[in-house]
Amino acid sequence: NIVFLPYDFTVTPSSTTQTVNNAFTLTVTARNAQAQTCPNYKGTANVSVVYVSPSTDQAGTISPSSLGATYFTNGIATITTTKYNKWGTIKIKATDSLRSASTGQSQDTRFNPKDFSITLSTPPKSRTFYYQNEQFTATVTARDQDNNTITNYQGTISLTSSDRSLSITYTFLTADSGTHNFTASFSQGGKRTFSVKDTTYTT
């Protein structure tokens, strides 16, 4: 018996900017040595992650991670339920299970938080307010599509008050595990709201 395997794969996400844990479409195409689609390929192709930034292992999980016969039609697998659970930039890699040299990688794909939550500390002594110059705490958490904390988030955020008297820029550290406490106070009275955004990916 002679086994013929793909020469390589093309791996194409629906967009190079995605949200952590949000489903997106990934297209994997098996190709021959002339870069033509192998129309009868039925797998199995393993899907894995190559870390770009951060470049160290983030213990991320991409799913599905194994593409068998049920995924491929005419040599092409189009997966609409692909998810990745970490923040950062990666390449998505497909490799034939029988030949490690038969492989292919996507372009750099960035995974961002869906949003941030801001939780304010409770005023002491059953008050519903803080005094001027009295410190309070604002806890900022990076969240994925399912509102879970993104524990490896290391982006830079800006935290501002509605009157612009508070403006903090901070880069999350590994030790923050996706959540950081900010302490502040105001010298002037009045009601304020607070907002936070990633300074690079402002949406």
Side-chain angles (χ1 to χ4, degrees):
N1 293 333
I2 301 174
V3 179
F4 287 87
L5 299 170
Y7 178 77
D8 65 8
F9 294 90
T10 61
V11 183
T12 309
S14 53
S15 171
T16 55
T17 302
Q18 301 288 346
T19 300
V20 178
N21 254 344
N22 189 37
F24 65 97
T25 299
L26 183 70
T27 304
V28 177
T29 302
R31 305 194 305 177
N32 64 19
Q34 285 72 47
Q36 300 166 331
T37 301
C38 300
N40 67 329
Y41 181 74
K42 293 297 183 182
T44 299
N46 295 324
V47 180
S48 58
V49 170
V50 178
Y51 297 102
V52 177
S53 179
S55 59
T56 55
D57 188 348
Q58 299 296 301
T61 300
I62 192 165
S63 61
S65 60
S66 181
L67 307 178
T70 58
Y71 286 94
F72 283 92
T73 302
N74 298 324
I76 301 172
T78 303
I79 309 101
T80 60
T81 57
T82 312
K83 290 185 178 182
Y84 179 63
N85 69 338
K86 295 292 182 178
W87 169 87
T89 301
I90 64 170
K91 294 180 186 293
I92 304 170
K93 183 178 181 179
T95 305
D96 185 88
S97 62
L98 298 179
R99 182 174 182 266
S100 61
S102 298
T103 189
Q105 295 183 160
S106 71
Q107 293 180 287
D108 288 359
T109 304
R110 176 83 179 188
F111 288 82
N112 300 314
K114 182 196 71 172
D115 61 14
F116 298 88
S117 67
I118 306 174
T119 305
L120 300 180
S121 56
T122 302
K125 299 180 180 179
S126 301
R127 285 188 266 120
T128 59
F129 60 89
Y130 284 95
Y131 290 115
Q132 292 171 214
N133 296 314
E134 183 179 12
Q135 286 192 333
F136 67 95
T137 300
T139 301
V140 176
T141 300
R143 304 194 302 182
D144 68 11
Q145 184 68 25
D146 299 323
N147 295 328
N148 298 316
T149 301
I150 303 173
T151 56
N152 79 320
Y153 179 72
Q154 296 170 46
T156 300
I157 61 102
S158 64
L159 174 66
T160 56
S161 61
S162 53
D163 65 348
R164 301 295 178 182
S165 60
L166 174 70
S167 181
I168 299 172
T169 300
Y170 178 76
T171 300
F172 277 65
L173 305 175
T174 302
D176 289 322
S177 296
T179 298
H180 188 77
N181 294 328
F182 298 90
T183 300
S185 63
F186 291 100
S187 60
Q188 300 295 321
K191 291 184 177 181
R192 296 169 177 84
T193 58
F194 300 90
S195 62
V196 63
K197 65 180 178 180
D198 188 299
T199 58
T200 304
Y201 300 94
T202 56
T203 57

